[in-house]
Amino acid sequence: MPPTLASASRFLFILACRASPASGFVLEPSLPLSPLALSPKSSRIATNGGSIPLSAVREATFGMGCFWEPAESLLKQPGVLATTVGYTGAPPNKPPPTYDSVCFGNDWVEAVRVAYDDELVSYNQLLDYFFQLQKPAYSRQYASIIFVNDATEAKDAKQWKKESVSSGKQERGDNLSYDVVDIESASPFFRAEEYHQRYWEKQRLRLLLGLTLIAGESGAYNEFFDGALGKVEIFGLSFESACGAFFFVSAAWLLLERLIARDVQELKQGDLITLAKQN
């Protein structure tokens, strides 16, 4: 592959993976929202460990800073059944957001919506997870916020914060203060573009594939199978050039998808469980 094209490929790949959040490589299958499914024949959630009555499943929404990592980390906690990332917290009558309007505005908050089993994890324990795993910054977009659904949650969240502040306990190595946490009433929640969902899971796959293609472009596999791989041609291209071309097309697709994606949709309370059912 010509050096200029190879350099352009690497530049596009780095730009797509680091500067612009985007979905997986070409033909990457959609990843499920969560590791659960809703049983259509009963009022229970089916999971690998058994089933949970629907009455025990609740949802909560948190502003946790950049939502990519906290959404994945929360999903690993006991009792958490599903997560999705989106935008919320804007004043009434605002038009549906896009990632660009969130980044360049001052109305929307990047948020994580959680479905959890309140027989396995209490709301207060979920608030502890929220505080420990958040990555807030000093802007509205990345604010630390508990979005409460009703008066009971508001009372519990205020009591949790008051007790946490007064106790002086430190749950984090960076000594983040509980005072940074705000409590707001829940407002319309819009599920973010698909390329944001399970973002770091996709990033690890992209990185592995990208490194594999770069190695192929450099000739690292030419001696495989007694040198046969180095003689392979794909659509008239040498194996090295084919790896480089696929790398270039994949990186270009990442940027294109980032520019054209507008698949933001509003989620009502309970919709996360329904979305999980569909996946």
Side-chain angles (χ1 to χ4, degrees), residues 130-155:
F130 146 75
F131 185 77
Q132 293 163 11
L133 300 173
Q134 65 178 324
K135 307 285 184 182
Y138 295 101
S139 68
R140 177 68 177 169
Q141 179 183 356
Y142 297 135
S144 172
I145 303 175
I146 302 168
F147 292 98
V148 294
N149 294 312
D150 52 39
T152 300
E153 283 191 358
K155 179 180 177 181

PDB file of all heavy atoms in Angstrom, residues 130-155:
ATOM      1  N   PHE A 130     -23.323   4.867  42.058  1.00  0.00           N
ATOM      2  CA  PHE A 130     -23.295   6.089  41.251  1.00  0.00           C
ATOM      3  C   PHE A 130     -22.136   6.990  41.667  1.00  0.00           C
ATOM      4  O   PHE A 130     -21.366   7.475  40.831  1.00  0.00           O
ATOM      5  CB  PHE A 130     -24.637   6.814  41.391  1.00  0.00           C
ATOM      6  CG  PHE A 130     -24.556   8.324  41.357  1.00  0.00           C
ATOM      7  CD1 PHE A 130     -24.349   8.999  40.167  1.00  0.00           C
ATOM      8  CD2 PHE A 130     -24.692   9.068  42.535  1.00  0.00           C
ATOM      9  CE1 PHE A 130     -24.274  10.386  40.145  1.00  0.00           C
ATOM     10  CE2 PHE A 130     -24.623  10.445  42.514  1.00  0.00           C
ATOM     11  CZ  PHE A 130     -24.409  11.118  41.314  1.00  0.00           C
ATOM     12  N   PHE A 131     -21.992   7.211  42.973  1.00  0.00           N
ATOM     13  CA  PHE A 131     -20.955   8.130  43.438  1.00  0.00           C
ATOM     14  C   PHE A 131     -19.553   7.571  43.190  1.00  0.00           C
ATOM     15  O   PHE A 131     -18.651   8.299  42.766  1.00  0.00           O
ATOM     16  CB  PHE A 131     -21.132   8.423  44.927  1.00  0.00           C
ATOM     17  CG  PHE A 131     -20.169   9.457  45.440  1.00  0.00           C
ATOM     18  CD1 PHE A 131     -20.379  10.801  45.188  1.00  0.00           C
ATOM     19  CD2 PHE A 131     -19.036   9.083  46.147  1.00  0.00           C
ATOM     20  CE1 PHE A 131     -19.481  11.765  45.631  1.00  0.00           C
ATOM     21  CE2 PHE A 131     -18.128  10.030  46.604  1.00  0.00           C
ATOM     22  CZ  PHE A 131     -18.354  11.383  46.337  1.00  0.00           C
ATOM     23  N   GLN A 132     -19.385   6.295  43.433  1.00  0.00           N
ATOM     24  CA  GLN A 132     -18.068   5.686  43.291  1.00  0.00           C
ATOM     25  C   GLN A 132     -17.602   5.620  41.838  1.00  0.00           C
ATOM     26  O   GLN A 132     -16.406   5.725  41.565  1.00  0.00           O
ATOM     27  CB  GLN A 132     -18.090   4.274  43.884  1.00  0.00           C
ATOM     28  CG  GLN A 132     -18.276   4.228  45.387  1.00  0.00           C
ATOM     29  CD  GLN A 132     -18.708   2.862  45.883  1.00  0.00           C
ATOM     30  OE1 GLN A 132     -18.673   1.876  45.141  1.00  0.00           O
ATOM     31  NE2 GLN A 132     -19.140   2.784  47.133  1.00  0.00           N
ATOM     32  N   LEU A 133     -18.526   5.470  40.900  1.00  0.00           N
ATOM     33  CA  LEU A 133     -18.160   5.197  39.504  1.00  0.00           C
ATOM     34  C   LEU A 133     -18.255   6.409  38.591  1.00  0.00           C
ATOM     35  O   LEU A 133     -17.841   6.340  37.435  1.00  0.00           O
ATOM     36  CB  LEU A 133     -19.065   4.081  38.957  1.00  0.00           C
ATOM     37  CG  LEU A 133     -18.974   2.746  39.697  1.00  0.00           C
ATOM     38  CD1 LEU A 133     -20.033   1.771  39.177  1.00  0.00           C
ATOM     39  CD2 LEU A 133     -17.589   2.134  39.568  1.00  0.00           C
ATOM     40  N   GLN A 134     -18.774   7.529  39.070  1.00  0.00           N
ATOM     41  CA  GLN A 134     -18.954   8.687  38.202  1.00  0.00           C
ATOM     42  C   GLN A 134     -17.625   9.356  37.859  1.00  0.00           C
ATOM     43  O   GLN A 134     -16.625   9.217  38.562  1.00  0.00           O
ATOM     44  CB  GLN A 134     -19.887   9.696  38.860  1.00  0.00           C
ATOM     45  CG  GLN A 134     -19.321  10.305  40.136  1.00  0.00           C
ATOM     46  CD  GLN A 134     -20.248  11.339  40.745  1.00  0.00           C
ATOM     47  OE1 GLN A 134     -20.921  12.080  40.039  1.00  0.00           O
ATOM     48  NE2 GLN A 134     -20.299  11.399  42.064  1.00  0.00           N
ATOM     49  N   LYS A 135     -17.636  10.099  36.750  1.00  0.00           N
ATOM     50  CA  LYS A 135     -16.464  10.853  36.271  1.00  0.00           C
ATOM     51  C   LYS A 135     -16.892  12.282  35.953  1.00  0.00           C
ATOM     52  O   LYS A 135     -16.827  12.732  34.804  1.00  0.00           O
ATOM     53  CB  LYS A 135     -15.885  10.193  35.020  1.00  0.00           C
ATOM     54  CG  LYS A 135     -15.570   8.715  35.137  1.00  0.00           C
ATOM     55  CD  LYS A 135     -14.320   8.476  35.942  1.00  0.00           C
ATOM     56  CE  LYS A 135     -13.973   6.988  35.951  1.00  0.00           C
ATOM     57  NZ  LYS A 135     -12.777   6.702  36.771  1.00  0.00           N
ATOM     58  N   PRO A 136     -17.334  13.040  36.954  1.00  0.00           N
ATOM     59  CA  PRO A 136     -17.899  14.363  36.666  1.00  0.00           C
ATOM     60  C   PRO A 136     -16.837  15.397  36.313  1.00  0.00           C
ATOM     61  O   PRO A 136     -15.654  15.233  36.617  1.00  0.00           O
ATOM     62  CB  PRO A 136     -18.587  14.725  37.979  1.00  0.00           C
ATOM     63  CG  PRO A 136     -17.765  14.039  39.028  1.00  0.00           C
ATOM     64  CD  PRO A 136     -17.330  12.738  38.391  1.00  0.00           C
ATOM     65  N   ALA A 137     -17.293  16.458  35.666  1.00  0.00           N
ATOM     66  CA  ALA A 137     -16.448  17.616  35.369  1.00  0.00           C
ATOM     67  C   ALA A 137     -17.283  18.867  35.609  1.00  0.00           C
ATOM     68  O   ALA A 137     -18.488  18.788  35.849  1.00  0.00           O
ATOM     69  CB  ALA A 137     -15.942  17.561  33.930  1.00  0.00           C
ATOM     70  N   TYR A 138     -16.638  20.002  35.537  1.00  0.00           N
ATOM     71  CA  TYR A 138     -17.318  21.249  35.900  1.00  0.00           C
ATOM     72  C   TYR A 138     -17.991  21.885  34.681  1.00  0.00           C
ATOM     73  O   TYR A 138     -17.616  22.946  34.202  1.00  0.00           O
ATOM     74  CB  TYR A 138     -16.322  22.202  36.558  1.00  0.00           C
ATOM     75  CG  TYR A 138     -15.815  21.667  37.874  1.00  0.00           C
ATOM     76  CD1 TYR A 138     -14.563  21.064  37.958  1.00  0.00           C
ATOM     77  CD2 TYR A 138     -16.593  21.724  39.019  1.00  0.00           C
ATOM     78  CE1 TYR A 138     -14.103  20.545  39.166  1.00  0.00           C
ATOM     79  CE2 TYR A 138     -16.144  21.202  40.225  1.00  0.00           C
ATOM     80  CZ  TYR A 138     -14.894  20.611  40.285  1.00  0.00           C
ATOM     81  OH  TYR A 138     -14.454  20.095  41.482  1.00  0.00           O
ATOM     82  N   SER A 139     -18.992  21.200  34.177  1.00  0.00           N
ATOM     83  CA  SER A 139     -19.834  21.728  33.108  1.00  0.00           C
ATOM     84  C   SER A 139     -21.187  21.041  33.224  1.00  0.00           C
ATOM     85  O   SER A 139     -21.312  19.977  33.839  1.00  0.00           O
ATOM     86  CB  SER A 139     -19.220  21.457  31.732  1.00  0.00           C
ATOM     87  OG  SER A 139     -19.239  20.076  31.436  1.00  0.00           O
ATOM     88  N   ARG A 140     -22.203  21.642  32.659  1.00  0.00           N
ATOM     89  CA  ARG A 140     -23.545  21.047  32.704  1.00  0.00           C
ATOM     90  C   ARG A 140     -23.549  19.677  32.027  1.00  0.00           C
ATOM     91  O   ARG A 140     -24.171  18.737  32.508  1.00  0.00           O
ATOM     92  CB  ARG A 140     -24.531  21.987  32.011  1.00  0.00           C
ATOM     93  CG  ARG A 140     -25.982  21.459  31.920  1.00  0.00           C
ATOM     94  CD  ARG A 140     -26.629  21.382  33.283  1.00  0.00           C
ATOM     95  NE  ARG A 140     -28.023  20.941  33.175  1.00  0.00           N
ATOM     96  CZ  ARG A 140     -28.765  20.587  34.223  1.00  0.00           C
ATOM     97  NH1 ARG A 140     -28.264  20.631  35.448  1.00  0.00           N
ATOM     98  NH2 ARG A 140     -30.015  20.215  34.063  1.00  0.00           N
ATOM     99  N   GLN A 141     -22.860  19.560  30.921  1.00  0.00           N
ATOM    100  CA  GLN A 141     -22.839  18.301  30.174  1.00  0.00           C
ATOM    101  C   GLN A 141     -22.349  17.138  31.038  1.00  0.00           C
ATOM    102  O   GLN A 141     -22.865  16.022  30.937  1.00  0.00           O
ATOM    103  CB  GLN A 141     -21.940  18.449  28.947  1.00  0.00           C
ATOM    104  CG  GLN A 141     -21.823  17.174  28.107  1.00  0.00           C
ATOM    105  CD  GLN A 141     -20.864  17.353  26.939  1.00  0.00           C
ATOM    106  OE1 GLN A 141     -20.330  18.434  26.705  1.00  0.00           O
ATOM    107  NE2 GLN A 141     -20.630  16.279  26.204  1.00  0.00           N
ATOM    108  N   TYR A 142     -21.332  17.390  31.866  1.00  0.00           N
ATOM    109  CA  TYR A 142     -20.707  16.329  32.650  1.00  0.00           C
ATOM    110  C   TYR A 142     -20.999  16.456  34.148  1.00  0.00           C
ATOM    111  O   TYR A 142     -20.208  16.029  34.977  1.00  0.00           O
ATOM    112  CB  TYR A 142     -19.199  16.344  32.428  1.00  0.00           C
ATOM    113  CG  TYR A 142     -18.779  16.066  31.004  1.00  0.00           C
ATOM    114  CD1 TYR A 142     -17.807  16.844  30.378  1.00  0.00           C
ATOM    115  CD2 TYR A 142     -19.356  15.034  30.271  1.00  0.00           C
ATOM    116  CE1 TYR A 142     -17.416  16.596  29.073  1.00  0.00           C
ATOM    117  CE2 TYR A 142     -18.970  14.775  28.968  1.00  0.00           C
ATOM    118  CZ  TYR A 142     -17.996  15.559  28.377  1.00  0.00           C
ATOM    119  OH  TYR A 142     -17.608  15.304  27.077  1.00  0.00           O
ATOM    120  N   ALA A 143     -22.133  17.037  34.488  1.00  0.00           N
ATOM    121  CA  ALA A 143     -22.468  17.278  35.891  1.00  0.00           C
ATOM    122  C   ALA A 143     -22.802  15.986  36.627  1.00  0.00           C
ATOM    123  O   ALA A 143     -23.201  14.981  36.035  1.00  0.00           O
ATOM    124  CB  ALA A 143     -23.640  18.241  35.985  1.00  0.00           C
ATOM    125  N   SER A 144     -22.633  16.026  37.951  1.00  0.00           N
ATOM    126  CA  SER A 144     -22.988  14.916  38.837  1.00  0.00           C
ATOM    127  C   SER A 144     -24.396  15.171  39.372  1.00  0.00           C
ATOM    128  O   SER A 144     -24.597  16.049  40.203  1.00  0.00           O
ATOM    129  CB  SER A 144     -21.981  14.828  39.995  1.00  0.00           C
ATOM    130  OG  SER A 144     -22.396  13.881  40.951  1.00  0.00           O
ATOM    131  N   ILE A 145     -25.361  14.398  38.884  1.00  0.00           N
ATOM    132  CA  ILE A 145     -26.758  14.677  39.219  1.00  0.00           C
ATOM    133  C   ILE A 145     -27.523  13.368  39.445  1.00  0.00           C
ATOM    134  O   ILE A 145     -27.381  12.408  38.685  1.00  0.00           O
ATOM    135  CB  ILE A 145     -27.468  15.471  38.100  1.00  0.00           C
ATOM    136  CG1 ILE A 145     -26.730  16.790  37.820  1.00  0.00           C
ATOM    137  CG2 ILE A 145     -28.921  15.744  38.468  1.00  0.00           C
ATOM    138  CD1 ILE A 145     -27.300  17.570  36.649  1.00  0.00           C
ATOM    139  N   ILE A 146     -28.326  13.355  40.495  1.00  0.00           N
ATOM    140  CA  ILE A 146     -29.297  12.280  40.703  1.00  0.00           C
ATOM    141  C   ILE A 146     -30.642  12.806  40.204  1.00  0.00           C
ATOM    142  O   ILE A 146     -31.161  13.795  40.725  1.00  0.00           O
ATOM    143  CB  ILE A 146     -29.412  11.902  42.193  1.00  0.00           C
ATOM    144  CG1 ILE A 146     -28.059  11.475  42.751  1.00  0.00           C
ATOM    145  CG2 ILE A 146     -30.449  10.796  42.390  1.00  0.00           C
ATOM    146  CD1 ILE A 146     -28.037  11.369  44.268  1.00  0.00           C
ATOM    147  N   PHE A 147     -31.215  12.173  39.192  1.00  0.00           N
ATOM    148  CA  PHE A 147     -32.513  12.564  38.665  1.00  0.00           C
ATOM    149  C   PHE A 147     -33.580  11.687  39.332  1.00  0.00           C
ATOM    150  O   PHE A 147     -33.639  10.477  39.083  1.00  0.00           O
ATOM    151  CB  PHE A 147     -32.558  12.402  37.141  1.00  0.00           C
ATOM    152  CG  PHE A 147     -31.667  13.363  36.418  1.00  0.00           C
ATOM    153  CD1 PHE A 147     -30.406  12.978  35.989  1.00  0.00           C
ATOM    154  CD2 PHE A 147     -32.081  14.669  36.172  1.00  0.00           C
ATOM    155  CE1 PHE A 147     -29.568  13.862  35.311  1.00  0.00           C
ATOM    156  CE2 PHE A 147     -31.258  15.569  35.505  1.00  0.00           C
ATOM    157  CZ  PHE A 147     -29.991  15.169  35.074  1.00  0.00           C
ATOM    158  N   VAL A 148     -34.370  12.287  40.195  1.00  0.00           N
ATOM    159  CA  VAL A 148     -35.331  11.514  40.993  1.00  0.00           C
ATOM    160  C   VAL A 148     -36.675  11.438  40.285  1.00  0.00           C
ATOM    161  O   VAL A 148     -37.133  12.411  39.668  1.00  0.00           O
ATOM    162  CB  VAL A 148     -35.488  12.120  42.401  1.00  0.00           C
ATOM    163  CG1 VAL A 148     -34.177  11.982  43.172  1.00  0.00           C
ATOM    164  CG2 VAL A 148     -35.899  13.589  42.338  1.00  0.00           C
ATOM    165  N   ASN A 149     -37.319  10.275  40.402  1.00  0.00           N
ATOM    166  CA  ASN A 149     -38.565  10.027  39.690  1.00  0.00           C
ATOM    167  C   ASN A 149     -39.810  10.425  40.473  1.00  0.00           C
ATOM    168  O   ASN A 149     -40.871  10.626  39.888  1.00  0.00           O
ATOM    169  CB  ASN A 149     -38.669   8.547  39.317  1.00  0.00           C
ATOM    170  CG  ASN A 149     -37.612   8.143  38.307  1.00  0.00           C
ATOM    171  OD1 ASN A 149     -37.414   8.810  37.309  1.00  0.00           O
ATOM    172  ND2 ASN A 149     -36.920   7.036  38.578  1.00  0.00           N
ATOM    173  N   ASP A 150     -39.686  10.499  41.796  1.00  0.00           N
ATOM    174  CA  ASP A 150     -40.866  10.806  42.614  1.00  0.00           C
ATOM    175  C   ASP A 150     -40.418  11.348  43.966  1.00  0.00           C
ATOM    176  O   ASP A 150     -39.213  11.478  44.245  1.00  0.00           O
ATOM    177  CB  ASP A 150     -41.738   9.557  42.798  1.00  0.00           C
ATOM    178  CG  ASP A 150     -40.963   8.351  43.302  1.00  0.00           C
ATOM    179  OD1 ASP A 150     -40.071   8.522  44.162  1.00  0.00           O
ATOM    180  OD2 ASP A 150     -41.246   7.225  42.835  1.00  0.00           O
ATOM    181  N   ALA A 151     -41.399  11.651  44.809  1.00  0.00           N
ATOM    182  CA  ALA A 151     -41.106  12.248  46.119  1.00  0.00           C
ATOM    183  C   ALA A 151     -40.318  11.297  47.010  1.00  0.00           C
ATOM    184  O   ALA A 151     -39.469  11.732  47.797  1.00  0.00           O
ATOM    185  CB  ALA A 151     -42.408  12.655  46.803  1.00  0.00           C
ATOM    186  N   THR A 152     -40.583  10.007  46.901  1.00  0.00           N
ATOM    187  CA  THR A 152     -39.867   9.033  47.724  1.00  0.00           C
ATOM    188  C   THR A 152     -38.384   9.005  47.371  1.00  0.00           C
ATOM    189  O   THR A 152     -37.522   9.028  48.256  1.00  0.00           O
ATOM    190  CB  THR A 152     -40.471   7.628  47.546  1.00  0.00           C
ATOM    191  OG1 THR A 152     -41.847   7.654  47.948  1.00  0.00           O
ATOM    192  CG2 THR A 152     -39.725   6.606  48.382  1.00  0.00           C
ATOM    193  N   GLU A 153     -38.081   8.961  46.070  1.00  0.00           N
ATOM    194  CA  GLU A 153     -36.681   8.982  45.649  1.00  0.00           C
ATOM    195  C   GLU A 153     -36.012  10.293  46.035  1.00  0.00           C
ATOM    196  O   GLU A 153     -34.834  10.296  46.438  1.00  0.00           O
ATOM    197  CB  GLU A 153     -36.570   8.761  44.142  1.00  0.00           C
ATOM    198  CG  GLU A 153     -36.750   7.321  43.714  1.00  0.00           C
ATOM    199  CD  GLU A 153     -36.383   7.092  42.266  1.00  0.00           C
ATOM    200  OE1 GLU A 153     -36.015   8.057  41.560  1.00  0.00           O
ATOM    201  OE2 GLU A 153     -36.471   5.936  41.825  1.00  0.00           O
ATOM    202  N   ALA A 154     -36.744  11.401  45.922  1.00  0.00           N
ATOM    203  CA  ALA A 154     -36.175  12.695  46.296  1.00  0.00           C
ATOM    204  C   ALA A 154     -35.798  12.703  47.775  1.00  0.00           C
ATOM    205  O   ALA A 154     -34.710  13.160  48.163  1.00  0.00           O
ATOM    206  CB  ALA A 154     -37.164  13.815  45.992  1.00  0.00           C
ATOM    207  N   LYS A 155     -36.696  12.198  48.616  1.00  0.00           N
ATOM    208  CA  LYS A 155     -36.424  12.140  50.057  1.00  0.00           C
ATOM    209  C   LYS A 155     -35.227  11.243  50.347  1.00  0.00           C
ATOM    210  O   LYS A 155     -34.333  11.611  51.126  1.00  0.00           O
ATOM    211  CB  LYS A 155     -37.653  11.618  50.787  1.00  0.00           C
ATOM    212  CG  LYS A 155     -37.472  11.496  52.296  1.00  0.00           C
ATOM    213  CD  LYS A 155     -38.738  10.959  52.955  1.00  0.00           C
ATOM    214  CE  LYS A 155     -38.548  10.769  54.462  1.00  0.00           C
ATOM    215  NZ  LYS A 155     -39.771  10.226  55.096  1.00  0.00           N
TER     216      LYS A 155
END
